[in-house]
Amino acid sequence: MSTRTGPKLAMLEQFAAVAKALANAHRLDLLELVAQGERGVEALASAAGLSVANTSQHLQVLRRVGLVVSRRNGPQILYRPSDDDVIALIGALRRTAERHVAEVDRLLRGWFHEKDALEALSRDDLVSRMKDGLITVLDVRPPEEYAAGHIAGSVNIPLRDLRQRLDELPPGTEVVAYCRGPYCVLAYEAVATLRDRGLEARRLEDGFPEWRAAGLPVDAVVN
Amino acid sequence: MSTRTGPKLAMLEQFAAVAKALANAHRLDLLELVAQGERGVEALASAAGLSVANTSQHLQVLRRVGLVVSRRNGPQILYRPSDDDVIALIGALRRTAERHVAEVDRLLRGWFHEKDALEALSRDDLVSRMKDGLITVLDVRPPEEYAAGHIAGSVNIPLRDLRQRLDELPPGTEVVAYCRGPYCVLAYEAVATLRDRGLEARRLEDGFPEWRAAGLPVDAVVN
DNA sequence: CGTCTATTCAAGTCATCTATTGAATGATTG
DNA sequence: CAATCATTCAATAGATGACTTGAATAGACG
């Protein structure tokens, strides 16, 4: 592109291009949003708090390096992550940041207070508990996201409705709540609410995108 | 930092900061160089083909987000990756780029011609073969890098000296050559040279940083 | 076939990044 | 304690990125 560069640098420039696409908080946000299930530009724009034009441009940056793909469905264009590598990459980025950036640590502490104490259940643990059938898996995301895809066998009660709909949960079983990913507060809040009401509740360590990326069973609500 | 942002965006901004540090070909180059073993700024500058001041600034960008750490040793300041997460992150970046960016594919093809045909040995395979003791592990990197750290039990013959020093290789054993990483050409060249001379030779699929990051046995030449 | 809608493009502005230069720092060595 | 060396800082010019605005596209649907 610029001056004379060897083949090695040319390759590294391609890697750098992918990193550059990840190097913006709004794009990471969009990436996590599309990882919940494919969505149109306008929905993404309002979820991310951006203008439509700006969202479109960010999405194109992501598409240019192959992090997302798009398809037309009727009037709108739906975006989704190109594959599970992408989720793994974001996970690696998150892990490194968590480990090394002091600021992340501070934010986590302030954000989650000591909610970390609510022990999280790993994916593997959840899988084996589900086999026993003694737990209820609770998806606390909004209905649209649940419809786009959720853990097979989970029930959907959005966090905001949880208090009123407690009776929909089978009594006497432990509840495992999950939402969008490792930093999604919804699941924390849900567990806090449920314990408040005397239910046995824990949260899943990570969220739906990781579950799907791991190849575990997923359901969607067909329209 | 800029306008009012919620805690979620603040967190994503930290992730983005790490990605931003990776979003430059020279910094990725430096990162791979320090992954070979810790080195001073001047050595890194000349290896990367950059000015010393510029190299220093790039290294500080990497240090600011915790991707590398530095320590003073006599007159110079030595840099190294902060830990194995960093190498995993670069690997994830590389895998995503390989998979999605058509340009990388093109470069790989042009660079390695059909050398890919020289089947590579995975780390696990190498470990089990080493137990049998029937192979010679050959490190073809420059002596400084070998001294800074190498696969335990490997012998060091830099590629440029290989032709003259063939007799140092135990006869009758298969040779497995490795160098800096998945894209390091040295190992490819070495295998080609060795096969030319009628020896049985293969290359290790990845390089020394990956080996060390996997927690496999490493030796260094003490000074 | 024209209208509508979702999305994209183009242009402009302000901010941030890169690489260069030359000077400043600060630990080590005599 | 002064000289030396490796490294870092400061200031700059040119390039690239982010977001806004308003116009253009291109399917979908009557």
Side-chain angles (χ1 to χ4, degrees), chain A residues 41-42 56 60 76-77 79:
Chain A
V41 178
E42 190 164 1
S56 172
Q60 279 169 70
Q76 40 182 2
I77 293 185
Y79 282 85

Side-chain angles (χ1 to χ4, degrees), chain A residues 15 18-19 22 89, chain B residues 22 28 89-98:
Chain A
F15 299 172
V18 174
L22 295 172
L89 176 56
Chain B
L22 295 173
L28 289 176
L89 177 56
I90 297 179
L93 186 61
R94 183 167 51 72
R95 263 187 302 282
T96 304
E98 273 173 10

